[in-house]
Amino acid sequence: MTMRKIGYYSAVYILLILSFAFLLVPIIWVFLASLTEPRQITSGSLWPGLRSLTLDSYRRTLGSADVRIHLRNSFVIASMTTIATLLIATLAAYSTSRFARISGASITVVVLSQMFPYVLLMIPFYQLALQFNALDSYASIVFTHVVVALPFSFWMLKSYFDNVPRDLDEAALIDGCNYISLLYRVILPCAAPGLVVVAFFAFVSSWGEYMFASILSQSKQTATITVLLQGYISGRRIEWGLVSASTILSIAPTVILFALTQRWLVAGLMSGAVKE
Amino acid sequence: MKSGTWRISGRETSSLPLFNTEVMGVAARRTRGRRFWSNLVNGPAARYLFILPTILFILIFLGYPLVQSIYISFTDASLLRPDVNHVGLKNYAQLLSDRLFWLSLRHSFQLTFTAVALQAILGLGLAVLLNQKVPGIQIFRNIALVTWVIPIAATVVLFSFAATPEYGLFNVLLKQIGLGDLQRYWFGNRDTAMWMIILMHVWRNAPFYALALLAAMQAIPQTLYEAAQVDGANAWTRFWVITFPYIRYTLGVMIVLHVIFTFNNFEFVFLSTGGGPVRATEVLPTYIFEQSWQYYRLGYAAAIGVAMMLILLTITLISVRLMERARRS
């Protein structure tokens, strides 16, 4: 190996380490805090020392019924959002990809929907929930989360469906498929990675959503983990042991899902985001 | 469409009477109910039936609130009084003389411009870095998006913790390198609070730019680089002559998407500073929130929102035009 090559490799690795330190250290720092004795967290040292490592914060956090209920709420709401988004977006993407010639209009709607300041939607959604007596219900939160996830999900899925060759449709239709069996026998299996990506996107965006969840949930019966986190950090005296453990618990599912769907994710998100 | 011809996958054909129940198989003919169902899922109506849920969803949850917001921006609607009076352009006139509106607008612009510029530059740098062919690079590519997938509320906790005096990461590091005097609660200081919010935006989204740009870079034919190398072009020239023209469009799309995201984002500011200290980080979304949820002035809040949308629409249209022009040349 030449000197030049060694120089190149070490420059690349040093830059990589620096940039990933910037990205990962804030997470690692809180992760460490969640494993440290609460008294040690505030000591101001960079490394707490092996002896003060403990699972106490997690024991306390998971021992509290509050945290468990909020995590459960987040799981239920995010799962329901994922299923509903997948269902609605699949049908819409199928229709616009194959039959309805409204691609131009649909992209306009997608872009416009992103431009609408969502903070303005809080009052109409609140009033709507009030009218239907749906305040503090899973359904109202799920509806709003589907609204948030739907435009981008639809657009991503459509780009996957567009990539399934039309020849397959014609062959399937001649062989006796109808429009519904064409969808689930031919197009969905071909576009399966797209479904994974959209499911991930819908789950994560619902799991992390705060604004609508905070106004539509009136009690801990429906409040999500993000609402709980907000409650924890807006207090006067912040218990960092509890906060860091519940923050890590709120991050963990997204990171685990991310690791599982990684293989399809990057290509999928990019095709949805970048496609004209 | 002429009768007797069918449009299948965009092509007109008369040879495939697919929607004729005679060739639909025995099952469809068995009962009238079945035939109705079969017509529904096979007939032309089905094509539009599929998109109906989405259209309804968007009309009810986005279209209706949009129209309603525009409408009430011309009224004095308030949650405190049941009666609603038309006031014409009064809300918009008030907007022009509202010092806080202009302050929030300026902050929104500062935040959006700075955050997006930093994201674009750092994202581009990270993309170039991730495009290097060194052993183990795939691991870095795989984990880069992690900042984007975690909840924004969690990101705010991470940075609030890091900014805490005495034992937060930033302050501990400052002390370690002998700059202990600079220690402070970085979100609670008028000069640094906005930079913290910019930092969170950059931290979360720069990797997203990087991966989009990386995907675009990997689509560039390698032969171009080989030819350039033969011609003696150095890495810097190769980047600007070959790489950049290929990824320019992706970069443009990323910038437009993130201008929209940053300008409209409510959660980062609301959860970290709430617009403070002393309105140093007040942006339009938090100002709308304050007007509607603290003063219940729905009409005025809607007027701010409509103004925001018009601003974004203008910016987006101009950038799309510019991108189209750049692409054609």
Side-chain angles (χ1 to χ4, degrees), chain A residues 46-275:
Chain A
L46 265 180
W47 167 243
L50 273 181
R51 232 181 309 153
S52 48
L53 286 185
T54 163
L55 285 173
D56 271 1
S57 295
Y58 286 99
R59 227 168 274 143
R60 270 185 61 217
T61 311
L62 287 171
S64 122
D66 269 15
V67 177
R68 286 206 309 270
I69 291 172
H70 284 86
L71 281 173
R72 191 201 61 198
N73 290 341
S74 280
F75 263 114
V76 174
I77 289 171
S79 312
M80 283 160 68
T81 304
T82 308
I83 294 168
T85 307
L86 267 183
L87 205 69
I88 299 174
T90 300
L91 291 178
Y94 179 47
S95 176
T96 44
S97 167
R98 287 309 196 258
F99 324 112
R101 309 254 159 257
I102 51 172
S103 287
S106 66
I107 180 64
T108 314
V109 169
V110 169
V111 172
L112 271 180
S113 70
Q114 298 305 302
M115 236 170 274
F116 194 70
Y118 278 19
V119 65
L120 259 194
L121 289 175
M122 291 168 86
I123 289 197
F125 284 180
Y126 183 82
Q127 288 172 332
L128 221 55
L130 204 63
Q131 267 166 24
F132 286 93
N133 215 0
L135 273 181
D136 210 21
S137 71
Y138 285 151
S140 61
I141 302 176
V142 169
F143 266 112
T144 58
H145 286 183
V146 173
V147 174
V148 175
L150 191 59
F152 196 53
S153 301
F154 155 70
W155 192 246
M156 263 192 295
L157 217 47
K158 182 178 169 325
S159 80
Y160 272 94
F161 288 1
D162 284 344
N163 283 336
V164 178
R166 296 292 173 90
D167 300 346
L168 288 182
D169 296 21
E170 286 173 22
L173 286 172
I174 290 169
D175 286 346
C177 268
N178 60 34
Y179 282 147
I180 291 183
S181 52
L182 171 66
L183 175 63
Y184 72 81
R185 287 194 188 194
V186 179
I187 295 184
L188 285 186
C190 287
L195 295 179
V196 173
V197 175
V198 168
F200 172 83
F201 174 76
F203 189 93
V204 166
S205 72
S206 165
W207 178 270
E209 204 279 336
Y210 165 78
M211 190 167 67
F212 294 126
S214 75
I215 53 154
L216 294 175
S217 66
Q218 308 281 302
S219 71
K220 70 177 179 197
Q221 288 317 307
T222 56
T224 58
I225 187 75
T226 52
V227 177
L228 183 78
L229 279 185
Q230 199 275 335
Y232 277 170
I233 53 168
S234 59
R236 267 245 158 259
R237 251 189 59 75
I238 303 178
E239 271 191 75
W240 283 113
L242 207 62
V243 174
S244 55
S246 31
T247 304
I248 294 298
L249 287 173
S250 80
I251 291 176
T254 61
V255 172
I256 292 169
L257 275 183
F258 174 58
L260 291 177
T261 54
Q262 171 71 52
R263 227 174 344 139
W264 305 283
L265 204 63
V266 172
L269 285 175
M270 297 315 150
S271 72
V274 176
K275 206 168 164 272

Side-chain angles (χ1 to χ4, degrees), chain B residues 280-307:
Chain B
T281 56
E282 194 79 79
V283 286
L284 288 174
T286 54
Y287 191 49
I288 292 178
F289 181 85
E290 182 186 296
Q291 287 297 326
S292 47
W293 290 90
Q294 279 174 31
Y295 303 121
Y296 304 117
R297 299 175 61 196
L298 302 189
Y300 192 53
I304 306 172
V306 171

Side-chain angles (χ1 to χ4, degrees), chain B residues 248-268:
Chain B
R248 200 168 49 183
Y249 180 72
T250 308
L251 186 64
V253 174
M254 282 292 121
I255 288 175
V256 172
L257 282 180
H258 285 86
V259 164
I260 297 173
F261 171 83
T262 314
F263 196 72
N264 274 342
N265 184 273
F266 166 75
E267 295 185 346
F268 270 129

